[in-house]
Amino acid sequence: MHEKGLEAAIRIGGAVVVTAAAVLAAVLESFLVPFYIGGIAVPLAGAIAFVANWRLAALAVYWTGGRWSVVLTSAAWFAVVVIATMPTSAGSLVVTSGFNGYALLLAGTAGIALALWQYFRPKPSAKPRTVADPRVAAQATPTATKESRQ
């Protein structure tokens, strides 16, 4: 196998594995929504969703070498969570409309938003602009007009 073929196989395999991990994480989080300790709702699913979505996106970028792979993990997670919020024909729900359900949706979306911001924000230039020629620097600075001198 050539080097380019091996690299392409690793990138495609990484994309498949990370997408499957996002699906698995979304299923696990969906079933952790009704998590209570002593009658108190604990948003464990939301905490896991935030961290998992953020770090799975980073893993996807690392394995595939492209920042667009963030969309793979995001779309996979959203697809599973949206399906889990839809009632079945019998009326059953996996993700219910309560504190934990809303925490899962909000925290998972926040993790995705953080990953998207991290990889798609505009990068500042590395070097500040400096002018080496003093004549160019004098032209670049605004000069006073006749009216402002008076």
Side-chain angles (χ1 to χ4, degrees):
M1 207 180 217
H2 298 287
E3 281 186 38
K4 285 189 175 186
L6 180 61
E7 184 177 338
I10 290 172
R11 288 176 186 236
I12 291 169
V16 169
V17 169
V18 171
T19 303
V23 168
L24 182 63
V27 169
L28 174 71
E29 294 156 6
S30 295
F31 283 106
L32 282 176
V33 167
F35 186 74
Y36 289 85
I37 295 178
I40 299 172
V42 178
L44 181 64
I48 293 171
F50 178 81
V51 174
N53 287 343
W54 179 36
R55 299 321 303 162
L56 277 174
L59 186 62
V61 170
Y62 176 75
W63 275 349
T64 63
R67 64 184 182 171
W68 287 98
S69 59
V70 173
V71 176
L72 289 174
T73 58
S74 304
W77 185 83
F78 270 120
V80 171
V81 171
V82 165
I83 290 170
T85 59
M86 293 181 190
T88 63
S89 59
S92 301
L93 281 173
V94 176
V95 177
T96 57
S97 60
F99 175 73
N100 284 352
Y102 293 135
L104 169 69
L105 297 173
L106 181 64
T109 304
I112 289 170
L114 179 61
L116 289 171
W117 176 80
Q118 184 176 4
Y119 292 107
F120 288 97
R121 73 176 184 258
K123 304 283 187 207
S125 62
K127 295 189 322 184
R129 296 172 130 194
T130 57
V131 180
D133 189 5
R135 291 174 291 175
V136 175
Q139 291 174 356
T141 59
T143 57
T145 61
K146 276 186 175 179
E147 292 115 18
S148 64
R149 288 185 203 159
Q150 295 174 357

